[in-house]
Amino acid sequence: MPTINTGTEDGPGVTLNYEDTGGTGRPVVLLHGWPLSGAAWKDNVPDIATAGYRVVTYDRRGFGKSGKPYTGYDYDTLSDDLAALLQRLELTDVTLGVLSSLTLADL
């Protein structure tokens, strides 16, 4: 699984593991919810890719094979991680897919 590091001149960041089907179609980035990983999308990726999209999944910080720092689980940092991934892979005009493990019974 390839990785990127979200570090900047302001700090070391975290290593994020991702999968990229490649291809030239419009990118679809799939985000998992707690406590899952990018593997939660394994049954969906082939169909989306076959439909002509470039599919990217990743393990958000603290999950799967990505780094597990003690801090950085606020929405600003998580969105910065996503922005770093999009930037490093040079993805634009992206569709986001989101999966949550919560149900109404959990609320």
Side-chain angles (χ1 to χ4, degrees):
M1 183 178 264
T3 63
I4 67 157
N5 187 286
T6 64
T8 66
E9 66 266 1
D10 297 327
V14 67
T15 299
L16 300 176
N17 284 282
Y18 69 92
E19 290 285 339
D20 184 354
T21 62
T24 58
R26 183 175 176 188
V28 175
V29 177
L30 302 173
L31 289 82
H32 66 83
W34 182 90
L36 306 172
S37 71
W41 294 101
K42 69 178 173 23
D43 293 335
N44 306 97
V45 169
D47 291 335
I48 298 169
T50 298
Y53 295 94
R54 177 180 177 182
V55 185
V56 176
T57 61
Y58 74 103
D59 295 340
R60 295 169 67 192
R61 70 171 50 221
F63 297 95
K65 295 180 181 176
S66 287
K68 296 167 180 55
Y70 289 107
T71 62
Y73 296 94
D74 57 282
Y75 287 118
D76 287 340
T77 305
L78 294 171
S79 61
D80 287 346
D81 289 348
L82 174 58
L85 179 72
L86 297 178
Q87 193 171 48
R88 299 277 168 77
L89 297 179
E90 299 179 355
L91 300 177
T92 59
D93 195 25
V94 173
T95 298
L96 296 177
V98 181
L99 175 67
S100 174
S101 61
L102 292 178
T103 65
L104 289 177
D106 295 322
L107 299 177

